[in-house]
């Protein structure tokens, strides 16, 4: 069955307010699908495996902005350090140090989001709000000249319980707004996927990560 990627992109885009950025999540999807979305005007793509993202970066147009949205393996950061545009899933200071080290080799500053744990599931990675505060306030952070923390990311529980989703998005949004007062560099709040992005936007998301509503369902859970 044909999936109209172009139509899906247009449909999703028209449902987003102007201040919300669309990350088209292309994990597991072939080059041809990404090219189709590119031809429809999309320039920001999200992947959750470093090697898969590198392979796609190598063959696709160079004005694509690649976002790493998955859990990071520190030993693989070096493979994407020369091109990655934004890393969403940073959940430790050690990982920030590694990104900084690899960014420095390429004389770059890599933008990062700290991932907050907001879901009531053990399976999702992320930092507590207290841990995020500690990182932001730490003197060690000031030494890392080749990374910049530009916002926060969160994944809600996989549920259709709207009340619970609202609560999780609201708690991250209000924490984000509070921190922004002291850390004006925090500009991006990445929350919302295909199933919950409209709710996430209502709660204050500025960046949504949408896969299946654009590219169709994936063949395996990635
Ligand atoms: C896969 C993934 C998405 C997109 O999920 P869809 O439900 O297909 O929109 C968003 N964020 C992260 C972190 C993901 O791994």
């Amino acid at each position: 069955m044909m999936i109209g990627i172009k139509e899906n992109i247009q449909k999703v885009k028209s449902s987003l307010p102007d201040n919300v950025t669309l990350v088209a999540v292309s994990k597991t999807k072939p080059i041809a699908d990404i090219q189709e979305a590119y031809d429809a005007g999309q320039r920001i793509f999200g992947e959750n495996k470093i090697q898969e993202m590198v392979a796609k970066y190598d063959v696709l147009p160079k004005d694509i902005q690649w976002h790493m949205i998955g859990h990071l393996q520190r030993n693989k950061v070096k493979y994407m350090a020369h091109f990655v545009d934004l890393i969403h899933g940073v959940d430790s200071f050690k990982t920030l140090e590694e990104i900084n080290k690899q960014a420095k080799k390429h004389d770059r500053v890599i933008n990062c989001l700290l991932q907050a744990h907001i879901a009531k599931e053990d399976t999702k990675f992320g930092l507590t709000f207290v841990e995020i505060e500690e990182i932001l306030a730490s003197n060690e952070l000031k030494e890392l000249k080749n990374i910049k923390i530009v916002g926060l990311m969160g994944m809600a529980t996989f549920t259709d319980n709207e009340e619970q989703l609202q609560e999780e998005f609201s708690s991250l949004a209000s924490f984000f707004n509070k921190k922004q007062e002291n850390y004006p560099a925090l500009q991006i709040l990445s929350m919302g996927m295909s199933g919950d992005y409209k709710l996430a936007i209502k709660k204050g998301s500025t960046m949504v990560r949408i896969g299946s509503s654009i590219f169709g369902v994936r063949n395996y859970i990635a």
Side-chain angles (χ1 to χ4, degrees):
M1 200 179 72
M2 280 284 292
I3 302 162
I5 291 172
K6 186 176 175 201
E7 291 76 15
N8 290 344
I9 290 262
Q10 284 162 350
K11 203 168 130 202
V12 169
K13 270 209 169 142
S14 66
S15 73
L16 302 179
D18 287 343
N19 68 319
V20 175
T21 302
L22 171 62
V23 179
V25 176
S26 49
K27 63 188 183 194
T28 82
K29 296 295 176 183
I31 300 292
D33 287 8
I34 302 174
Q35 185 68 50
E36 195 174 335
Y38 179 92
D39 293 339
Q42 182 63 22
R43 290 294 180 273
I44 304 176
F45 292 90
E47 291 283 336
N48 72 338
K49 299 217 163 62
I50 292 176
Q51 273 137 332
E52 186 178 340
M53 185 172 79
V54 171
K56 289 170 173 175
Y57 163 80
D58 283 342
V59 298
L60 281 156
K62 290 297 174 281
D63 62 340
I64 287 177
Q65 295 164 40
W66 291 99
H67 287 198
M68 175 44 55
I69 63 170
H71 185 67
L72 291 177
Q73 286 171 279
R74 274 198 285 279
N75 61 341
K76 291 185 181 161
V77 168
K78 57 177 176 280
Y79 300 122
M80 63 172 175
H82 57 298
F83 71 91
V84 67
D85 186 68
L86 179 64
I87 300 178
H88 290 234
V90 178
D91 67 355
S92 74
F93 190 78
K94 268 195 153 151
T95 299
L96 280 176
E97 287 180 311
E98 177 63 16
I99 297 167
N100 185 72
K101 180 177 150 191
Q102 300 302 333
K104 196 170 177 178
K105 289 183 186 166
H106 299 281
D107 200 20
R108 298 186 68 213
V109 174
I110 296 181
N111 290 327
C112 297
L113 306 180
L114 296 178
Q115 181 170 358
H117 182 100
I118 55 170
K120 290 175 185 57
E121 294 167 350
D122 296 336
T123 51
K124 296 210 166 118
F125 298 99
L127 298 154
T128 65
F129 292 162
V130 171
E131 289 168 330
I132 289 174
E133 280 173 339
E134 282 169 2
I135 289 177
L136 290 173
S138 69
N139 282 321
E140 290 90 338
L141 183 65
K142 297 192 185 82
E143 306 300 317
L144 306 183
K145 307 288 188 206
N146 294 79
I147 56 116
K148 189 176 179 199
I149 297 175
V150 294
L152 305 179
M153 180 268 219
M155 278 175 93
T157 304
F158 188 71
T159 175
D160 49 19
N161 180 341
E162 279 219 3
E163 217 169 294
Q164 186 177 349
L165 289 172
Q166 292 212 31
E167 198 182 292
E168 293 176 7
F169 287 141
S170 296
S171 77
L172 180 54
S174 67
F175 177 72
F176 174 76
N177 290 335
K178 209 168 68 199
K179 288 295 112 187
Q180 230 181 2
E181 291 170 19
N182 293 326
Y183 303 96
L186 298 178
Q187 290 292 322
I188 297 173
L189 181 56
S190 166
M191 58 182 200
M193 321 192 347
S194 292
D196 58 19
Y197 76 93
K198 287 182 182 153
L199 203 55
I201 290 170
K202 266 192 212 144
K203 295 299 169 186
S205 168
T206 69
M207 184 173 275
V208 291
R209 309 176 308 268
I210 297 183
S212 42
S213 290
I214 293 172
F215 296 106
V217 291
R218 287 175 295 275
N219 290 330
Y220 58 92
I221 307 291

